[in-house]
Amino acid sequence: MTPGALIALSIPSPSVSGFHIGPVTIHFYALCILAGIVVAYLIGGRRYRARGGRQEDFETVTIWAVVGGIIGARIYHVITDHELYFGPGRTWYHMFFIWQGGLGIWGSIAGGALAVWLVCRSKDLRFCDLADSLAPGILLAQGIGRLGNWFNQELFGRPTTLPWGLEIAPQHRPLGYLQYATFHPTFLYELIWNVAGACFLLWADRHWRLGRGKLFALYVVTYTFGRFWVERLRIDPANHVGGWRINSYTSLLVFAAGLVLLIWMLRNKPGQTPPGTPEKVPAAEEQDSDADEDRDDDPKEAGDAGTEG
């Protein structure tokens, strides 16, 4: 097969990254992120209601999760790419110009999780139930968000002559790669991995009953395993330590932490919260085991006790 035939089979990149409505520019990247949020909201809400949760509580949690996710994503970007905002010739307050781009998924997940945990604390909700409800939708949303990189012709991988190589316009190629026409479509690799991972989480939740936080831990393990290999392909400018991108180290460390957490939970928190269990943490769970045994002696009192979550 000739090189021309290979390029003919390559994946074209969109020629535009947005459109205008009057003076307002609508970026496809932003629309992809919004579409991912909507998908995560719809899937997560349905799953949370099936666990006995209330839609009103889920909506409150979702709002704060999005806010916390955006703030966390920006903080992670500023920390890992600090040279863009601090130092000679840099304008430090541009770090607040979020509309100019620069969001880190690691900070988004951490910030969103922290926001959800704080809301759960204030409203006496089970954090693990919410995390498990959201996990598949979040992974699917991350895959949908990667389509934005396709529209922007960014975050692609090393040059390749494979039939599914991604065509990149010369103005979007990094220095040192101007002579290459097609590159690994890392957006597509991660999209496929995340969609397959979301389906796997839904299957695992149905067949293995991985509740009480275990499904979220499995989400962490699943995402970071794939992200590590995708990260190793990327050639966009990034800070390196010992020849590795910082995000490669982050993927590896978070994967290890998620795996340890999952193993610990499998041993110490078996099963899942039964469907229909009230979403609020019952006060009975805070009482000692002696009080539980006393209630078990009285059938009426035993029936009034809250279910362990």
Side-chain angles (χ1 to χ4, degrees):
M1 185 175 290
T2 65
L6 287 175
I7 293 177
L9 292 174
S10 60
I11 302 173
S13 289
S15 58
V16 295
S17 61
F19 58 93
H20 299 277
I21 299 180
V24 179
T25 300
I26 306 297
H27 296 280
F28 290 126
Y29 183 84
L31 294 180
C32 290
I33 292 178
L34 289 174
I37 292 173
V38 171
V39 168
Y41 169 79
L42 293 175
I43 295 176
R46 184 171 180 270
R47 288 170 51 78
Y48 187 59
R49 291 193 301 272
R51 282 167 163 74
R54 297 192 308 168
Q55 180 65 22
E56 307 92 283
D57 291 331
F58 182 78
E59 291 174 357
T60 301
V61 167
T62 300
I63 292 172
W64 285 106
V66 171
V67 173
I70 294 174
I71 294 174
R74 188 60 174 179
I75 291 175
Y76 181 86
H77 165 72
V78 172
I79 291 175
T80 55
D81 292 293
H82 55 86
E83 71 279 358
L84 299 177
Y85 307 99
F86 303 98
R90 301 297 182 180
T91 307
W92 66 269
Y93 56 80
H94 282 183
M95 66 181 179
F96 298 110
F97 293 1
I98 195 171
W99 56 89
Q100 294 182 353
L103 297 174
I105 187 62
W106 305 108
S108 177
I109 298 301
L114 177 60
V116 171
W117 181 77
L118 291 174
V119 173
C120 288
R121 292 274 295 180
S122 66
K123 297 177 70 68
D124 294 327
L125 303 176
R126 289 191 177 94
F127 172 76
C128 287
D129 284 356
L130 272 161
D132 288 337
S133 300
L134 286 167
I138 291 176
L139 192 53
L140 187 57
Q142 288 174 249
I144 295 173
R146 282 301 174 197
L147 287 170
N149 300 141
W150 178 49
F151 283 102
N152 286 352
Q153 298 193 46
E154 61 183 3
L155 308 187
F156 42 85
R158 295 192 294 264
T160 181
T161 57
L162 291 170
W164 56 84
L166 177 66
E167 298 175 20
I168 297 295
Q171 65 269 27
H172 294 289
R173 301 172 193 168
L175 293 177
Y177 295 92
L178 298 178
Q179 70 273 31
Y180 299 101
T182 54
F183 300 78
H184 278 285
T186 50
F187 87 91
L188 181 60
Y189 297 162
E190 193 165 337
L191 169 62
I192 293 173
W193 178 262
N194 289 354
V195 171
C199 294
F200 169 67
L201 292 181
L202 291 170
W203 177 87
D205 189 35
R206 185 177 300 111
H207 289 79
W208 295 340
R209 298 181 61 82
L210 295 178
R212 307 182 71 188
K214 293 186 289 296
L215 192 70
F216 188 82
L218 182 60
Y219 148 74
V220 172
V221 171
T222 302
Y223 172 69
T224 53
F225 183 82
R227 177 61 185 270
F228 175 80
W229 298 109
V230 170
E231 197 70 33
R232 297 291 291 161
L233 286 172
R234 282 170 46 174
I235 58 173
D236 51 288
N239 290 323
H240 290 69
V241 177
W244 279 19
R245 299 161 64 95
I246 289 180
N247 283 339
S248 295
Y249 288 104
T250 303
S251 300
L252 197 59
L253 291 174
V254 177
F255 170 81
L259 184 60
V260 170
L261 179 62
L262 177 60
I263 294 173
W264 182 88
M265 285 183 166
L266 287 170
R267 292 182 176 181
N268 296 278
K269 299 182 67 176
Q272 64 179 185
T273 305
T277 299
E279 74 279 5
K280 292 185 178 296
V281 179
E285 291 185 0
E286 300 177 358
Q287 299 180 9
D288 58 30
S289 58
D290 291 338
D292 290 338
E293 292 177 359
D294 291 341
R295 282 197 301 271
D296 288 343
D297 293 336
D298 187 328
K300 179 179 182 302
E301 293 180 1
D304 293 337
T307 304
E308 178 69 23

